[in-house]
Amino acid sequence: MRSAALALTSLLLVPLVALIPARAEPPKPEKFDETGFVSIFDGKSLDGWKVSAKTGHSGTTKNKSGGKWVIEKGAIVGSQDVPGNGGIVITEKEYGDFEVALEMNNDFGPDSGLFLRSTDTGKCYQAMIDYHSGGNLMGVYGEGIGGKPHVQNFSFKKEVTDIEVKEYKPFPSPVGAEDWAKFWKHGEWNEVRARVEGNPPKITTWIKGVKFMEFQDTEKRLADKGGIALQVHGGGDYTKQFVRYRNIRVKEITKK
């Protein structure tokens, strides 16, 4: 009887185990064709770039300086130059349709951004690098153009290891809150990437090779071309916390 009871118990457990869903692993990164990409940062200087103090983030110095931008260990390192004063470093060349990829290793706290088709006054489509509590990575924000668009599918909680997934039906977050700490490695170099095409533009972003946002605007808000810029946000005191970017490369997309 005991053997029969054990066999029956085993049979009953099988369907119960089958009902427990397997935990999803973080998505695998895409493999990108690197053909056509050109480095736009030599790792030694800001040749081909300029610091702009014309944005609203440089108000503390009355637009006399645009934050502090230096080269350290092959990376562009940015911070506020005086408490509350930020700005942007922007390419001298303007780009139309393009894909840009770079690696970041920022402190968790400063607000930054990857600016697409930016003016020297900071008007742009921003691939968000709001790397702080309540912020987001690789959502899309209309910087200096009324905050439109503003789309994101997650936000950071108090710690960099924790995110809250947001309801964004057009493109849900590909990484769940339970897998974020496994996917994103703070303190290491992680790649982010953005592509902008057309006007009104279609903007696509990736984090570590995983597509995180795809957004099609319906309104022409900016010129067809602009610079690529990196930001240090104004406000607060972030003179002792830093943003770091390296391996910055661009591929211009030829219209067919």
Side-chain angles (χ1 to χ4, degrees):
M1 290 293 293
R2 184 179 179 186
S3 298
L6 286 172
L8 179 59
T9 301
S10 298
L11 287 171
L12 290 172
L13 284 174
V14 170
L16 291 174
V17 172
L19 289 173
I20 299 172
R23 180 171 174 176
E25 289 293 315
K28 301 296 183 184
E30 296 181 30
K31 291 185 178 180
F32 295 96
D33 181 3
E34 294 294 326
T35 305
F37 276 88
V38 176
S39 175
I40 56 171
F41 169 53
D42 63 15
K44 302 174 183 177
S45 69
L46 286 177
D47 287 353
W49 298 75
K50 59 185 178 182
V51 176
S52 174
K54 296 180 181 180
T55 78
H57 298 285
S58 302
T60 301
T61 61
K62 297 182 180 180
N63 300 98
K64 292 180 179 178
S65 64
K68 182 180 179 181
W69 299 94
V70 298
I71 310 302
E72 292 181 357
K73 298 180 180 178
I76 297 176
V77 179
S79 64
Q80 293 180 351
D81 51 350
V82 297
N85 197 73
I88 61 173
V89 59
I90 183 171
T91 58
E92 293 174 349
K93 179 176 177 177
E94 293 189 337
Y95 298 86
D97 291 2
F98 65 92
E99 187 172 313
V100 56
L102 52 82
E103 293 174 318
M104 61 167 281
N105 187 359
N106 295 0
D107 293 337
F108 190 66
D111 193 337
S112 186
L114 171 60
F115 286 14
L116 312 173
R117 293 182 183 167
S118 182
T119 66
D120 61 2
T121 60
K123 293 181 179 180
C124 69
Y125 285 94
Q126 180 187 158
M128 297 168 69
I129 306 182
D130 293 8
Y131 199 54
H132 55 78
S133 177
N136 168 264
L137 278 181
M138 293 293 108
V140 178
Y141 179 72
E143 177 82 14
I145 50 176
K148 296 181 180 179
H150 188 180
V151 294
Q152 63 186 72
N153 48 30
F154 79 91
S155 63
F156 287 105
K157 292 186 176 182
K158 186 176 180 180
E159 304 294 333
V160 68
T161 49
D162 297 323
I163 64 168
E164 178 184 355
V165 173
K166 300 289 188 179
E167 179 74 13
Y168 184 66
K169 291 181 179 179
F171 208 94
S173 174
V175 176
E178 67 279 4
D179 289 319
W180 175 257
K182 189 188 302 182
F183 173 73
W184 180 261
K185 300 299 181 183
H186 175 69
E188 299 180 9
W189 290 99
N190 294 278
E191 186 188 83
V192 293
R193 182 182 295 249
R195 180 189 298 155
V196 55
E197 301 172 274
N199 202 6
K202 177 182 178 181
I203 299 173
T204 311
T205 68
W206 292 262
I207 300 175
K208 296 183 68 175
V210 176
K211 187 184 291 187
F212 257 77
M213 181 58 64
E214 193 170 83
F215 171 77
Q216 175 64 61
D217 206 351
T218 57
E219 183 177 331
K220 185 173 180 177
R221 307 174 195 273
L222 292 163
D224 294 346
K225 288 187 174 185
I228 296 169
L230 303 168
Q231 179 201 45
V232 167
H233 205 283
D237 181 355
Y238 292 98
T239 53
K240 294 179 177 63
Q241 288 185 290
F242 304 92
V243 301
R244 303 173 187 87
Y245 301 103
R246 73 178 188 186
N247 196 18
I248 309 170
R249 57 203 190 277
V250 176
K251 177 165 83 172
E252 296 186 73
I253 301 171
T254 304
K255 295 179 181 179
K256 297 180 180 179

